[in-house]
Amino acid sequence: MSDKTIPTAVLKSPITSSQSPLSQPEQHVAIIDHNRCLSASRLLRCPTCLNSWRRCAEPGAASPLYPLPNRSQSKTLALKKAHPVIIHNRELLPSSFLRSSVSSVTSWKDFGMLCPTSMIVYYNGQYLQKFEVAISPDDRGFLFADGVYDVIRSYRSKLFKCVEHLERLAHGLKALRIEGLDTRSLEQISHQLIRNNKLEEADALVYLQVTRGAAPRSHQFPPSGTPLTVYVEAKAFSPPVEQQQNGAAAILEPDQRWSRCNIKTIGLLPNTLAHQRAREAGAFEAIFSGDGLLQEGSHSSILFVEKDVLICPPLTNRILPSITRSVVIDLALAESIEVDTRSCREGELFEFDEVMMLSTSAEIVPITSVNGRKIRQGYVGPVTRRLQTAFRRVIGPNEIKNLD
Ligand code: PDD
């Protein structure tokens, strides 16, 4: 269902705060046809205010995550009973409330209740609903991609290699000369977000981003003391189990990134363009080839196997020091798998016995074809399988999935 198919109605006159419990009257109301939403599998967006909305499990049932700010319990109950319901300015209203104020509606029948996507995030010292975050258009992240980010995996509340991720974030900040944040403070915030969003039992990703803050656009740094923009969110995540099991396809892409890829900056346009091309080619990931060498994926690192030896491209300025990669190299050594660090030429790709991509989110995914051509016979190799098994042991018994 496309956003265009969501009917909207325009109010004859704005609702004033004396008429309604809304704090900020708006002209537009999104009216969402419940039947059609039931068949929609993706998140919907209110076409006027562009907030995301999520369908409730059942018509008329309030989502446990749905925020109903500033409402008394009795009003909340009354609203829950009211059916149909429309959404206006992020709040639920019984349709009867607006019926008299709306100039045209298609049908009041079958309108159900939708909920805004509720997520508590951290933004500059506060825990807020995500839709409450207002980042300045002067933010240097927005203007110049002047910031760094990191992604940490939470396995049932356990932040995997959290210290290493936060140290990498600190190195990135230092490299960009962004001062004034002790990244260690983000660990407690990440845990808090896991709790706030009820992700304690889930597999989740924590996304952290820090920018140089907001200041009128100038290539010069803002005056010292300008507050940084610090944003953290945690969301449920499902790993690509199918690809982990059966392998995935990749494409080769010319490496058009800048020369400091070892810093995890938010400037990711060459990465997103390469990944998009991979997806359009039906592949899972794009592998960057630069200076004739295989570097890394658009958002993953790569390792190879040659005659039972794990081959690791050296960590140069063209490669992000991947946390997953360092875990896997340690695991290989612990498994008595020989490890060799050397540059890998693009022409060697199809001579390797195994190719694997690694990342916080994907963990270890075997690459079984590149540009439509199989790596060996297109089977997942034994070294990759051993490393997957060892990795599962490290992340904990809760996450063990049967890949055999
Ligand atoms: N990406 N190389 C690049 C360019 C990456 O963006 C990533 C991670 C990796 C793997 O790093 P790690 O093992 O520390 O996750 C390598 C993250 C997950 C992302 O952009 O979402």
Side-chain angles (χ1 to χ4, degrees):
M1 174 176 168
S2 87
D3 291 346
K4 289 193 192 104
T5 62
I6 301 172
T8 57
V10 180
L11 295 181
K12 282 177 196 159
S13 57
I15 306 168
T16 64
S17 42
S18 64
Q19 280 175 298
S20 85
L22 302 174
S23 50
Q24 288 190 344
E26 273 187 10
Q27 293 273 357
H28 297 282
V29 184
I31 300 167
I32 302 177
D33 180 310
H34 180 67
N35 285 338
R36 277 186 288 163
C37 290
L38 273 180
S39 61
S41 58
R42 64 181 183 80
L43 295 182
L44 301 169
R45 287 194 130 205
C46 166
T48 49
C49 65
L50 297 182
N51 288 310
S52 295
W53 307 100
R54 188 172 75 165
R55 179 166 54 80
C56 285
E58 287 174 35
S63 154
L65 291 174
Y66 180 67
L68 286 166
N70 310 322
R71 289 196 187 285
S72 69
Q73 182 69 8
S74 60
K75 268 188 177 165
T76 306
L77 288 176
L79 280 173
K80 277 185 193 170
K81 279 187 202 144
H83 185 80
V85 175
I86 60 176
I87 300 162
H88 175 77
N89 197 18
R90 303 186 194 120
E91 297 211 33
L92 297 181
L93 293 176
S95 59
S96 56
F97 182 78
L98 287 175
R99 199 173 300 195
S100 57
S101 316
V102 175
S103 58
S104 66
V105 290
T106 47
S107 161
W108 289 102
K109 207 157 54 79
D110 294 331
F111 290 147
M113 183 188 281
L114 292 175
C115 299
T117 309
S118 176
M119 182 196 277
I120 306 284
V121 301
Y122 174 89
Y123 171 61
N124 286 353
Q126 284 183 292
Y127 292 93
L128 304 168
Q129 285 291 342
K130 187 169 182 176
F131 59 67
E132 291 175 308
V133 172
I135 293 181
S136 166
D138 281 338
D139 194 276
R140 291 182 62 96
F142 178 63
L143 294 173
F144 296 112
D146 187 354
V148 288
Y149 78 104
D150 218 298
V151 180
I152 309 177
R153 185 74 170 268
S154 169
Y155 293 103
R156 297 195 174 202
S157 301
K158 181 181 158 207
L159 291 175
F160 186 61
K161 298 288 167 191
C162 183
V163 171
E164 289 79 352
H165 282 278
L166 295 180
E167 276 174 2
R168 183 169 69 184
L169 194 67
H171 281 131
L173 289 169
K174 192 163 176 227
L176 300 188
R177 298 169 56 198
I178 297 177
E179 290 165 7
L181 177 72
D182 182 350
T183 59
R184 286 172 299 185
S185 64
L186 302 177
E187 178 166 3
Q188 186 270 327
I189 290 166
S190 303
H191 279 297
Q192 187 62 46
L193 288 175
I194 298 283
R195 284 193 293 274
N196 285 349
N197 291 290
K198 304 199 174 3
L199 295 168
E200 294 99 324
E201 295 303 314
D203 215 352
L205 286 180
V206 178
Y207 176 84
L208 312 99
Q209 180 172 321
V210 184
T211 78
R212 207 182 301 271
R217 188 179 185 280
S218 160
H219 282 62
Q220 198 181 335
F221 287 176
S224 73
T226 301
L228 307 182
T229 302
V230 182
Y231 176 80
V232 189
E233 71 172 43
K235 65 176 180 195
F237 171 76
S238 305
V241 176
E242 207 272 318
Q243 285 80 2
Q244 290 174 347
Q245 267 175 336
N246 303 322
I251 60 166
L252 270 181
E253 277 292 300
D255 194 348
Q256 295 174 330
R257 301 173 300 163
W258 74 332
S259 59
R260 299 179 75 187
C261 304
N262 50 329
I263 309 171
K264 204 162 170 56
T265 79
I266 55 174
L268 289 172
L269 206 43
N271 306 58
T272 59
L273 287 171
H275 186 67
Q276 181 63 22
R277 272 192 288 271
R279 285 303 164 117
E280 284 166 6
F284 188 67
E285 176 61 308
I287 297 173
F288 284 125
S289 173
D291 300 334
L293 301 177
L294 298 164
Q295 304 286 1
E296 61 178 341
S298 74
H299 59 309
S300 61
S301 53
I302 44 169
L303 295 175
F304 308 96
V305 177
E306 184 182 47
K307 298 190 179 65
D308 294 331
V309 178
L310 187 68
I311 310 288
C312 316
L315 289 178
T316 64
N317 59 318
R318 306 294 296 269
I319 290 183
L320 183 81
S322 151
I323 312 287
T324 319
R325 168 187 147 127
S326 78
V327 170
V328 168
I329 291 173
D330 286 349
L331 288 172
L333 293 171
E335 291 275 314
S336 306
I337 295 170
E338 201 182 319
V339 176
D340 186 18
T341 302
R342 68 163 175 85
S343 301
C344 301
R345 285 174 290 105
E346 192 184 314
E348 285 180 272
L349 183 57
F350 295 99
E351 289 163 19
F352 288 123
D353 299 315
E354 301 174 36
V355 177
M356 65 193 93
M357 56 153 282
L358 320 163
S359 75
T360 294
S361 51
E363 301 167 349
I364 304 174
V365 169
I367 296 297
T368 45
S369 75
V370 178
N371 288 353
R373 189 171 155 194
K374 285 181 178 154
I375 303 286
R376 293 295 172 183
Q377 278 83 38
Y379 296 115
V380 178
V383 176
T384 307
R385 278 286 185 247
R386 269 176 78 189
L387 291 171
Q388 284 181 318
T389 306
F391 191 82
R392 272 178 274 138
R393 247 182 265 128
V394 170
I395 59 182
N398 289 332
E399 272 52 53
I400 291 181
K401 295 162 200 97
N402 185 10
L403 299 186
D404 302 324

